[in-house]
């Protein structure tokens, strides 16, 4: 060992980076146990960043010529200088550095996972249909780097992580170091474990250690190695493995048994425990067993939902904004009437059937029928922001009212807003709850019927390989967040976006405000890349990127689920089934925003020159709800719904005074390099408001967590 130590010291003297890499591998080998999980970590893992502007000092690779399908030069070059669109390059890992000069268009930036990054986000669109509800977010980027970005916004805040990682079947279904892992790769399992380990270490930093759950799905190819890896990384968790039947007819395999199942690991942390459910997911169910009573949205969606379609169903609902009570129901007027033609009773404001884009829609009940419902307490106000003309109005439908008469639903009292409080009654089906079993056998979990077919319904003409059943993911999440209506759920192998869809289903059923964060890259399927390359396209070209998974499947699927409309603006055909049944064309009253990860220069960040791209991170850290502060204001500060930013310390008094008068502000970002002045402003803030120093908190977060964890 002493001889090996001497050689390592010689290597470090000649090439510090090479010496450190060799020493890391030596330590890993020296610490190996006789039994347990042993694998090579295959440093370094790297990713191409085709849309990142090339800067002096960057690591780059030389791309193959357009139209070529051969692999490019695998070596990493360093940019020494840039002039007139050409970069001077050198190889700095050889004794005699080799020089080259190439056009910038023939180069791509490479980020190794041991590199420190400074992330930002650029919004690429949003769907706003959920009034004041928090936003779901979809982030297009390398998931390892996006997870690092979330260590600044969500460290210790995630309630549940659900991931469906690549199963490592050898069928070119995932990449390691920018290259597909083939079935004949002798290091295939080792690469997969290294790939998973790096991301699980980051996931560990995001989970709430006091009460959270990690859910990982897998098949038989890696299930045993994954079990050991999870035990190594999360020894404090309480882990269980669930077997899920996803294809009861079976998938025939040559010389093998027909496969019907896959596996799901549940890791419970802190006080987390499975929620009681009405279906144990294994044994035969004797009756339908609703856990809650469903209130329906009064606003019509889908077809015939414009004011012009049904003018008699366009009228105001008057509410008292201080008590949130519904006071009166207005009458309809001719289509030519302006909203100002209606007079609101004293002390009330009008809520109109307005769509998320502000256009005039219609209600699902006539004025007279809604008045009768109101008299019985069968109408209530949902989301509403004071001063707005739009809000959510809920009512009990005819099916629920008939169940009140039969005793299947029981009125237990009256809420403060005058609406009845209702629960499933003893006169209805059995209300027995139970704990889900560790074997699930439900037709709702069939991946073909409720995964692939559902994606085709939402995105006609588009496909995605092996999407999960929506209801299988919904059942898994219900077990861990049913009792957490404000839970934050993360999926960093987002695929077609099933996890966000399932979270929206849970919110629809119980009125929750759960948020989902989806992370996916924009990788083009392997079998499509050859044709695109032969056509002269490269990653980063708009015509290439439009076929990527994020732009072609994930984002459109989330948008279609919310709006109830396909990408061609046709109502989605079909109905949701099982626990919560309604037409898919109704969509969800939810919000979502789409982002792309950027890579920032720390000097620009520190000098407030990258604020527009850092701004979404500040918004996410403060809850991802309400207005976002996107620009530096002339008054020196700005306050949104959940946070404020002080840009000019000389305006601190006005900033602190404004925060004192606001309700709901949870974070105050203070831009200063002076810790003394930062502390002075912090002491003046309300106790409930967290002071955060910019950009010191941001830069320190990534400097301390920049390198790859071994």
């Amino acid at each position: 060992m002493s001889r090996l130590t001497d050689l390592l010291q010689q290597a470090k003297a000649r090439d510090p980076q090479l010496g450190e890499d060799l020493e890391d591998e030596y330590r890993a080998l020296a610490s190996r146990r006789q039994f347990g999980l042993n694998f090579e970590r295959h440093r370094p893992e790297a990713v191409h960043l085709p849309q990142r502007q090339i800067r002096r000092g960057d690591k780059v690779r030389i791309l193959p010529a357009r139209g070529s399908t051969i692999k490019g030069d695998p070596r990493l070059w360093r940019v020494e200088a840039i002039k007139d669109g050409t970069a001077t390059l050198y190889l700095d890992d050889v004794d005699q550095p080799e020089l080259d000069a190439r056009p910038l268009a023939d180069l791509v930036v490479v980020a190794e996972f041991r590199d420190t990054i400074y992330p930002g986000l650029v919004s690429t669109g949003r769907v706003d249909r959920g009034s004041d509800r928090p936003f779901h977010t979809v982030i297009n980027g390398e998931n390892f780097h996006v997870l690092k970005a979330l260590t600044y916004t969500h460290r210790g805040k995630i309630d549940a992580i659900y991931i469906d990682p690549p199963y490592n079947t050898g069928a070119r279904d995932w990449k390691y170091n920018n290259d597909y892992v083939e079935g004949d790769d002798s290091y295939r399992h080792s690469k997969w474990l290294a790939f998973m380990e790096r991301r699980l270490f980051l996931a560990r930093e995001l989970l709430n250690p006091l009460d959270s759950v990690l859910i990982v799905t897998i098949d038989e190819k890696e299930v045993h190695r994954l079990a050991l890896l999870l035990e190594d990384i999360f020894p404090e968790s309480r882990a269980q493995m669930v077997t899920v039947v996803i294809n009861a007819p079976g998938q025939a395999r040559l010389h093998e048994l027909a496969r019907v199942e896959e596996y799901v690991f549940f890791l419970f942390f802190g006080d987390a425990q499975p929620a009681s459910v009405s279906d144990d997911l294994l044994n035969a169910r004797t009756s339908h067993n609703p856990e809650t009573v469903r209130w329906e949205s009064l606003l019509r969606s889908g077809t015939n939902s414009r004011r012009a379609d049904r003018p008699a169903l366009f009228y105001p609902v008057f509410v008292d904004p201080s008590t949130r009570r519904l006071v009166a129901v207005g009458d309809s007027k001719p289509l030519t009437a302006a909203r100002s033609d209606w007079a609101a009773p004293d002390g009330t404001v009008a809520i109109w059937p307005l769509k998320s884009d502000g256009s005039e829609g219609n209600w699902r009940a006539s004025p007279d029928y809604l008045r009768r419902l109101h008299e019985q307490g069968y109408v209530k106000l949902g989301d509403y922001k004071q001063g707005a003309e739009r809000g959510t109005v809920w009512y009990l439908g005819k099916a629920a009212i008939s169940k009140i008469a039969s005793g299947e639903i029981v009125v237990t009292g009256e809420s403060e807003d005058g609406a009845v409080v209702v629960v499933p009654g003893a006169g209805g089906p059995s209300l027995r709850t139970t704990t889900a079993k560790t074997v699930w056998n439900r037709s709702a979990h069939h991946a073909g019927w409720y995964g692939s077919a559902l994606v085709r319904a939402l995105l006609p003409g588009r496909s995605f390989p092996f999407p999960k059943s929506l209801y299988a993911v919904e059942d898994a999440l219900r077990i861990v967040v049913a009792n957490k209506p404000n839970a934050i759920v993360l999926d960093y192998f987002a695929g077609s976006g099933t996890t966000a869809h399932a979270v929206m289903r849970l919110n629809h059923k119980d009125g929750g405000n759960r948020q989902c964060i989806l992370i996916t890259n924009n990788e083009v399927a392997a079998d499509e890349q050859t044709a695109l390359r032969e056509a002269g396209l490269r990653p980063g070209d708009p015509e290439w990127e439009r076929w990527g998974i994020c732009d072609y499947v994930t984002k459109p699927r989330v948008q279609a689920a919310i709006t109830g409309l396909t990408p061609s603006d046709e109502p989605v055909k079909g109905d949701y089934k099982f626990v919560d049944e309604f037409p898919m064309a109704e969509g969800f009253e939810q919000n979502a925003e789409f982002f792309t990860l950027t890579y920032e220069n720390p000097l620009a960040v520190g000098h407030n020159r990258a604020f527009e791209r850092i701004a979404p991170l500040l918004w996410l850290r403060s809850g991802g709800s309400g207005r976002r502060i996107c620009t530096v204001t002339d008054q020196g500060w700005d306050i949104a719904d959940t946070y404020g930013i002080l840009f000019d310390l000389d305006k601190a008094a006005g900033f602190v005074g404004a925060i004192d008068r606001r309700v709901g502000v949870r974070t105050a970002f203070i831009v200063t390099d002076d810790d003394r002045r930062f502390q002075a402003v912090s002491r003046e803030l309300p106790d409930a408001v967290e002071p955060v120093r910019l950009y010191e908190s941001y830069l320190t977060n990534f400097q301390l967590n920049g390198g790859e964890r071994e």
Side-chain angles (χ1 to χ4, degrees), residues 268-343:
F268 296 89
F269 299 91
D271 295 332
Q273 59 183 326
S276 295
V277 291
S278 59
D279 179 9
D280 68 15
L281 301 177
L282 172 63
N283 298 300
R285 301 185 67 183
T286 57
S287 64
H288 178 62
N289 188 9
E291 297 175 28
T292 59
V293 177
R294 181 188 172 204
W295 291 72
E296 299 183 28
S297 171
L298 185 63
L299 180 66
R300 187 182 303 277
S301 60
T303 57
N304 297 318
S305 61
R306 301 174 303 164
R307 178 184 180 182
D309 296 327
R310 298 188 177 184
L313 299 181
F314 182 85
Y315 56 87
V317 174
F318 299 108
V319 300
D320 182 336
S322 61
T323 63
R324 297 179 61 84
R325 278 180 173 263
L326 193 153
V327 175
V329 177
D331 290 311
S332 61
K333 292 182 183 290
L335 185 60
T336 55
R339 295 204 292 269
S340 58
D341 292 346
W342 279 267

Side-chain angles (χ1 to χ4, degrees), residues 642-703:
T642 60
Y643 70 108
I645 305 178
L646 175 62
F647 299 101
D648 184 350
L649 281 176
D650 292 336
K651 307 294 178 62
F655 176 72
V656 171
I659 282 187
D660 277 334
R661 297 188 293 273
R662 296 290 290 269
V663 177
V665 175
R666 62 181 73 172
T667 312
F669 296 98
I670 302 168
V671 181
T672 179
D673 289 331
D674 188 331
D675 185 65
R676 180 183 56 81
R677 298 188 69 185
F678 167 74
Q679 296 295 340
V681 176
S682 300
R683 286 192 291 270
E684 300 298 320
L685 292 169
D687 292 339
V689 176
E690 176 196 12
V692 177
R693 181 176 156 198
L694 288 181
Y695 290 91
E696 185 269 343
S697 65
Y698 170 93
L699 295 172
T700 300
N701 182 83
F702 297 108
Q703 288 164 355

